[in-house]
Amino acid sequence: MRVISTMKFTFFRMVREYITLLLLLVVPIVLLTVFSFVLEGVTTETGEPLINEQNVIFVLVFQMFGGALAMAYIHTDFFTERKQRIYALPFNQTLYAFSIMVCGIVYSVLLGIVLMTFSEFVFGADWGNWLWAIYIIFLLALLSNIVCLIFTFSVNNFKIAERLSEVYGVGFVILAGLIFPVPGNDFFVFVNTYVNPITLAADAIYGMNQSHAGEAWFRSNILLIASGVLFIVMLILGKRKIR
Amino acid sequence: MTIFWFSLKRSFSNTTNLIFLTLFPVGAIFLPMGEVWPFLPYGYQFFGIIVLFVGIRLATIILEDRAKGVVKRLAVAPVTHFQYLTQNLLAFSIILILQSIIVIYGGVLYGHELYHPEWLLVLFISFSFTSLAVALAWISLYRSKETSFLVYMSVIFLIVFLGGLLMPIEAFPDILQRIAVIFPTYWLSEGIVWIVFGNDISEFLLINGVLWLYTIIFLVIGSVRRIN
């Protein structure tokens, strides 16, 4: 259990990185601010302020990129710069890799919570039950981390793995119809109802707000099961690379 | 013209660059038409974003040169800094112009209604130069390739949004509408509106003039030789 003593430092390393803070905290805050300015007073057909929906989606979108940090750390620690040193240390390397992932998830969720409280208190967006919202944010961060690590372990060229992780994030943003409306045929409806993590998470949060608890649990369980399955895939792939 | 050919080759050698330079613009042709807004198909409304990204990808090559000490070696080679810069920029601008031609005439062949394709081409070429100049000025602030790209990415998000490329500028509050004038992307979106509705050529010339003014200002800032 010597790994636990390293977690503190992994976390410090993550917090110190100002580029991450800029991309995952400052940019969303600025965008949220601008969006809320623009959308102030606009309501949907049901009379609910549009800010609610926009804010929730925004915070969830930035969770899709939360895996990039753990990915970069695993890469430098296990495959390049610090490879020799990490393997020489007297602790379980697999557990250390796992601890990096845990730190990545915790950090990403923390940023999500900061954004959530920001939008709730500053712009009055309604997040419903906070515990539920945090659970959903956690599920997205978990999924994003696992997917990013699968890319790291399965693609030999790290540059390409990084690009793939961006494709994962940006691709689902586009599929969700946030940049331009996607065609409303069966395929896209199916993807956005059962596959796309962003819409799944957003629907789970709305569902709980509008007291469709069954629906909300169903959506969040899809995310949970997907994470479970992909976690096993990640373990199998990771075992070949880290020993 | 050795540097020119070499920088053309370098621009295409990297996989990511290849995707940025070929796949994305071609993909833009096939994006659908919006219902009320934007007035041109989405691919053309968003092509400005691709141009901004391509600009920084290409300009990063100069940053790479500086980091690896190539600029230092060039200082003692029988090549002036002016030649180095112009030949590089010439290569980059040819890539960007080719891209614009492919996107616009590809769209015409595909059957999009582009109103005045030739004026749209002029607009995109002007904006390509602006994007290149802004990227050149941007990289002169940084030493690390990754940092400059990531921070620029967030800047792109902001200027694209505030310039009115992602949402119609009329939806913005008054103060943001006035501030938007300082972003080059605002002039691009104004230009697109002109292509659809405008008929007074002098307005279009003004829009292009502003883009070229930005180009000149940022080129001057970016072309200072920095050896580190």
Side-chain angles (χ1 to χ4, degrees), chain A residues 18-19 22-23 27 30-31 34-35 37-39 62 157 159-160 162-163 166 179-181 183, chain B residues 16 31-32 42 46 57 145-147 150-151 153-154 157-158 161-162 166-167 171-173 176:
Chain A
Y18 76 98
I19 293 286
L22 183 82
L23 284 175
V27 171
V30 174
L31 283 178
V34 174
F35 259 102
F37 254 124
V38 173
L39 296 177
F62 280 91
N157 185 340
K159 285 263 176 216
I160 293 180
E162 266 184 328
R163 290 296 97 75
E166 281 159 22
I179 301 184
F180 52 85
Chain B
T16 322
L31 290 187
Y42 277 102
F46 295 156
R57 289 297 313 186
K145 194 171 121 184
E146 303 292 317
T147 322
L150 288 174
V151 181
M153 205 161 79
S154 38
F157 279 136
L158 283 180
F161 182 72
L162 290 174
L166 286 182
M167 269 181 86
F172 288 12
L176 286 182

Side-chain angles (χ1 to χ4, degrees), chain A residues 90-127:
Chain A
F91 61 35
N92 186 338
Q93 271 76 23
T94 318
L95 266 187
Y96 177 62
F98 184 69
S99 82
I100 291 181
M101 189 179 118
V102 171
C103 284
I105 294 171
V106 170
Y107 186 49
S108 175
V109 171
L110 272 183
L111 292 180
I113 293 174
V114 171
L115 286 175
M116 188 181 85
T117 39
F118 179 79
S119 80
E120 172 109 27
F121 285 124
V122 180
F123 303 118
D126 180 21
W127 276 82

Side-chain angles (χ1 to χ4, degrees), chain B residues 3-227:
Chain B
I3 301 176
F4 170 76
W5 290 113
F6 188 57
S7 87
L8 266 187
K9 274 185 204 164
R10 273 173 86 188
S11 310
F12 282 104
S13 64
N14 183 312
T15 336
T16 322
N17 269 4
L18 206 63
I19 291 174
F20 263 117
L21 293 178
T22 54
L23 232 59
F24 281 119
V26 172
I29 298 176
F30 297 105
L31 290 187
M33 186 80 199
E35 274 172 20
V36 186
W37 188 92
F39 308 114
L40 291 182
Y42 277 102
Y44 296 86
Q45 183 75 16
F46 295 156
F47 185 59
I49 308 174
I50 299 176
V51 168
L52 283 171
F53 272 108
V54 169
I56 186 78
R57 289 297 313 186
L58 292 174
T60 308
I61 289 178
I62 291 180
L63 185 61
E64 229 169 66
D65 275 356
R66 211 156 57 208
K68 284 183 184 159
V70 174
V71 176
K72 212 175 275 181
R73 272 172 267 156
L74 276 175
V76 290
V79 179
T80 61
H81 180 65
F82 181 73
Q83 279 172 332
Y84 164 77
L85 204 66
T86 43
Q87 291 190 24
N88 265 317
L89 289 182
L90 189 65
F92 299 161
S93 51
I94 280 178
I95 292 173
L96 281 165
I97 290 171
L98 272 180
Q99 236 180 17
S100 309
I101 292 175
I102 289 172
V103 166
I104 286 162
Y105 287 100
V108 171
L109 283 181
Y110 183 68
H112 280 310
E113 168 71 67
L114 294 180
Y115 303 92
H116 304 284
E118 65 284 353
W119 289 126
L120 194 60
L121 182 64
V122 171
L123 180 70
F124 276 133
I125 289 176
S126 302
F127 187 71
S128 304
F129 277 97
T130 315
S131 134
L132 206 54
V134 174
L136 192 69
W138 181 263
I139 55 161
S140 65
L141 303 174
Y142 286 87
R143 286 190 181 182
S144 144
K145 194 171 121 184
E146 303 292 317
T147 322
S148 81
F149 183 70
L150 288 174
V151 181
Y152 195 63
M153 205 161 79
S154 38
V155 172
I156 286 180
F157 279 136
L158 283 180
I159 61 169
V160 159
F161 182 72
L162 290 174
L165 276 183
L166 286 182
M167 269 181 86
I169 195 98
E170 287 77 26
F172 288 12
D174 210 27
I175 177 91
L176 286 182
Q177 281 192 37
R178 287 189 195 183
I179 294 175
V181 179
I182 59 168
F183 302 114
T185 42
Y186 169 81
W187 296 98
L188 178 66
S189 56
E190 281 295 287
I192 290 174
V193 171
W194 186 90
I195 300 279
V196 180
F197 297 113
N199 41 27
D200 185 4
I201 193 78
S202 64
E203 282 172 30
F204 188 64
L205 289 180
L206 172 75
I207 290 166
N208 280 283
V210 176
L211 287 176
W212 279 98
L213 192 70
Y214 273 115
T215 310
I216 292 167
I217 294 171
F218 284 113
L219 263 186
V220 169
I221 300 173
S223 60
V224 177
R225 177 168 56 172
R226 286 179 183 77
I227 299 180

